[in-house]
Structures are given as C-alpha cells and as structure tokens.
Amino acid sequence: MAKDVIIACDFDSKEKALGFLDKFKGTERKPFVKIGMELYYAEGPEIIREIKKRGHKIFLDLKLHDIPNTVKKSMAVLSRLDVDMCNLHAGGTVNMMKAALEGLTRADGTRPYLIAVTMLTSTDEESMRKDLWIEKPIDETVMHYAKNALEAGLDGVVCSPLEAGKVHKACGENFLTVTPGVRFEDGEAGDQKRITTPKKARELGSDYIVVGRPITAAENPVEAYKKCVRDFLGEECRATEREE
Ligand code: C5P
C-alpha cells in the first residue's frame, strides 16, 4: 500500500502557496500536498487546477458535512477537479458517507480516496458530553466512527498516529490512517498536543503523515521535507536538479 508524506499547505493566498511550492521545482519527488479550507476559500477551484498542473498529488481537506444529497452532488464537483484524496465528517452518518462515495465515483469507476474525520482533535470528552450530549468515552467514539466509515465503504480516517494501530486492528490493515500531529524530535509542538516524530509514526503504522509547520515554517523547507520522507518512508529522497 502507498505510504507518503503530505505537506499541509496552510496559506491564505495563491501567491504564498505557489511561492512555497516553487521551492520544490527542481526536486525529483513532487510532494503530495493538502489544501484546506483557508486556501480553497481564498482562491477557489483554480488553485487546485494550478497545483495539479504542476504535478502534485492533492488531498482536498474540505471536511464536508451536510444532508446526503448535497454532499453527493458536491463530491461529484470535487471529483471533477481530479484530486487524489477528499474528506468528510463521519458525524454526518453512514448514509451521508455512502452518498458521498457515490458522488465521488466517476463514470469510468475511478475516484479519489475518501477518508473520514472522526472526532476532531480539538474536541475533548468534556465538550462531547456538554455540547454534543455524547456520553461514551472519546476513544470508543472514534473507533465507532471509524467502523461506520468502513461500513460505508470509505478508504480510511484521519486520526492521531497514536491511534493508527487501533484503527488498523478494528478496520483492517488496508484501511488508511492519515495522521497529522507530526513533529521532529527537536521541533516546536505549537498547538498540537499528542505528537509523534515521522519515524515513530512509521513504527505505529500510519499510512500518510500530514506535516504542516515543521516543513512550511522551516528555514529550508525542501530539506525538512526530505528528512520527513527519509524518516517516514525509510528511503533516500533525492532532490537533484532536473536536467532541463
Ligand atoms: O502545522 P501542522 O503540522 O500542525 O499542520 C497539521 C495540519 O493537519 C493542519 O492543516 C491541520 O488543520 C490538520 N489537522 C490536524 N488535526 C486534525 C485534523 C487536521 O492538525 N485532527
């Protein structure tokens, strides 16, 4: 199964995002990138086409959550952008996830990966009880949502690297775990609480690590990316200049 490092391109403009990606122009490996709401809402679908044209794989992180019919139709539109991975909230129910999958599937049967956000990492047990009226423990709820995603036919979930093993055990080794919360040993944690290194994430069984600031805010983003790839995939990533 494919494993990869996904760079979270959390920028608020096309200029900043493309300026960042320009740094990778001469590199042999085009990074898989995650485009979230901030950049998508700022620039619209054109930014996806532009980044796709440059040869990057794209995880479009828009976390859809609406009635099944609306999600189905919206997923059909996103699928036409030819992204490689999309996501939604598992809280939208199994029916919504099934509808999303239908919408995402193109006439020729191909589709991007579809993964589910279980419980956002910003939600804790207290807010689950107080705001959402969910009395079950958070880890049981996360696993229940992951199993719902599996039942709906999705490809995996976003989770902490620390949960990757448990998710694979409950949903199978082929069920993808896409894991943010990654930091280098000597790096700043920032607002992330439960963090692991790329190497540890690999040992824990993550399929894709999502890495933002450790790469985007690094003095040398290309070197930071290469280190992530080496540590996570265990392979040398050559950033040799291409022969023009
Ligand atoms: O900069 P950093 O490495 O913390 O970026 C992580 C990325 O993963 C951000 O785009 C963040 O929104 C996203 N993410 C997360 N935790 C989740 C879901 C998504 O950090 N549970």
Side-chain angles (χ1 to χ4, degrees):
M1 183 197 302
K3 291 200 173 220
D4 213 340
V5 173
I6 302 179
I7 305 181
C9 281
D10 293 325
F11 299 104
D12 61 6
S13 74
K14 178 179 168 175
E15 289 70 32
K16 287 181 197 163
L18 296 183
F20 171 74
L21 292 177
D22 279 346
K23 298 183 200 295
F24 294 85
K25 263 191 172 161
T27 61
E28 193 165 277
R29 172 186 273 271
K30 293 261 172 226
F32 198 140
V33 298
K34 178 173 89 72
I35 307 298
M37 290 185 234
E38 186 185 12
L39 187 57
Y40 190 79
Y41 290 151
E43 301 291 349
E46 203 42 49
I47 187 70
I48 305 297
R49 294 190 189 102
E50 177 68 37
I51 294 175
K52 198 74 205 170
K53 213 160 64 193
R54 291 170 168 230
H56 296 273
K57 284 191 169 179
I58 298 179
F59 167 18
L60 188 52
D61 177 19
L62 297 182
K63 301 188 181 70
L64 276 68
H65 189 167
D66 208 316
I67 59 170
N69 185 55
T70 301
V71 170
K72 179 178 171 178
K73 289 178 160 180
S74 308
M75 283 293 182
V77 172
L78 297 184
S79 190
R80 291 205 290 274
L81 286 174
D82 196 23
V83 293
D84 301 278
M85 189 183 281
C86 294
N87 64 356
L88 45 62
H89 276 284
T93 76
V94 171
N95 275 345
M96 188 201 79
M97 291 191 269
K98 284 183 177 167
L101 210 54
E102 272 178 45
L104 206 58
T105 307
R106 307 178 184 110
D108 63 359
T110 62
R111 63 168 175 81
Y113 280 136
L114 183 59
I115 58 166
V117 174
T118 55
M119 197 56 71
L120 286 171
T121 43
S122 49
T123 309
D124 59 13
E125 252 169 45
E126 195 196 340
S127 44
M128 272 171 63
R129 255 196 321 275
K130 261 178 52 193
D131 304 346
L132 306 178
W133 282 17
I134 297 173
E135 299 288 342
K136 298 269 189 197
I138 194 160
D139 49 345
E140 278 182 37
T141 310
V142 165
M143 283 310 140
H144 179 63
Y145 282 21
K147 285 184 198 158
N148 283 351
L150 177 70
E151 184 193 328
L154 268 65
D155 303 296
V157 287
V158 180
C159 63
S160 155
L162 303 164
E163 291 159 353
K166 243 195 206 170
V167 169
H168 280 143
K169 209 160 160 212
C171 301
E173 285 305 315
N174 291 332
F175 194 66
L176 301 175
T177 51
V178 179
T179 66
V182 174
R183 292 292 179 267
F184 292 122
E185 235 144 60
D186 53 355
E188 298 258 326
D191 51 359
Q192 294 282 11
K193 300 233 157 32
R194 301 167 67 222
I195 52 172
T196 46
T197 62
K199 199 163 169 215
K200 185 78 187 155
R202 174 191 177 189
E203 287 162 19
L204 291 168
S206 291
D207 296 299
Y208 292 87
I209 52 171
V210 177
V211 189
R213 287 160 292 180
I215 296 175
T216 55
E219 214 165 288
N220 186 334
V222 175
E223 280 308 315
Y225 171 69
K226 282 166 66 186
K227 179 169 165 48
C228 266
V229 171
R230 270 198 311 272
D231 291 357
F232 183 62
L233 300 180
E235 71 184 46
E236 195 54 51
C237 169
R238 282 174 298 145
T240 49
E241 290 298 315
R242 278 209 175 132
E243 298 288 328
E244 293 296 327

